[in-house]
Amino acid sequence: MRSISRPHPTHLWTDPKIQALPLSLKRTLDYLWTGPDVNGIGVTLVEPGVFQARVGEISVSIDNCLKMLEAAGFIVFDKKTSEVLVLDWFRIHKFSNPAGKNAYSRGMRETSSEMIKTIAEERFRLSGHSASRKGVSEFLCVRRRKTFPRCR
C-alpha cells in the first residue's frame, strides 16, 4: 500500500490513550502509522539511525520508545528482525479491492518475522478477512492474551 494513497488514522489525534503519551511516543507511533517505510500490513523495519532521523527524536532511545508502545498495546516489536507491527492496522485499512489484497500479500512477503506474520494474519482474520496461512497458535494466544480478546 503506497504511502501516498493509504488512509491516515485520525484517531491518533483524538484517542485519549494516545493523547496521554509523551510527545516522543506520539511522534514514534505517528511515524509507525504513516512513515514511508510502512508496508501493506503495517510493518516497519526499524533501522535506528534512519528511524531516529526521520522521527526527529533523539532524546529518547528508539528501543525504549518501542518497549513502552508495546507495553501499552499499540505495537508488537520483534527485536530479532527489528520489525514493528501496528496492531490497529487492520481496523483502519480495508483489503476489499485488488490493490488492497496485493498490498496484504506483498506486506506478508516483505515481513521476515514469523511472530509478526502470525499476529498480522490473526488481526487480518479477526477484522473479517480470510488469511492465506493458519491463524495464531495457542501459545501465542496465551502469551498475548490482552492483544487478542477473542483468544480468551
Side-chain angles (χ1 to χ4, degrees), residues 116-136:
I116 285 182
K117 282 183 183 181
T118 302
I119 293 168
E121 286 174 343
E122 180 67 8
R123 302 295 280 204
F124 183 74
R125 189 179 61 73
L126 290 175
S127 68
H129 303 288
S130 58
S132 58
R133 296 181 350 165
K134 298 290 182 210
V136 73

Side-chain angles (χ1 to χ4, degrees), residues 64-128:
N64 286 342
C65 280
L66 296 175
K67 284 177 189 172
M68 288 187 268
L69 289 172
E70 186 170 34
F74 292 112
I75 65 166
V76 172
F77 177 45
D78 187 338
K79 209 165 173 94
K80 286 185 263 177
T81 62
S82 296
E83 291 173 315
V84 178
L85 169 68
V86 174
L87 288 172
D88 268 355
W89 189 264
F90 297 101
R91 186 173 63 86
I92 303 294
H93 294 85
K94 306 302 175 208
F95 299 89
S96 53
N97 60 30
K101 291 175 184 175
N102 287 338
Y104 175 81
S105 297
R106 189 171 44 257
M108 290 300 284
R109 284 192 310 273
E110 293 171 353
T111 302
S112 301
S113 168
E114 286 301 317
M115 176 187 72
I116 285 182
K117 282 183 183 181
T118 302
I119 293 168
E121 286 174 343
E122 180 67 8
R123 302 295 280 204
F124 183 74
R125 189 179 61 73
L126 290 175
S127 68

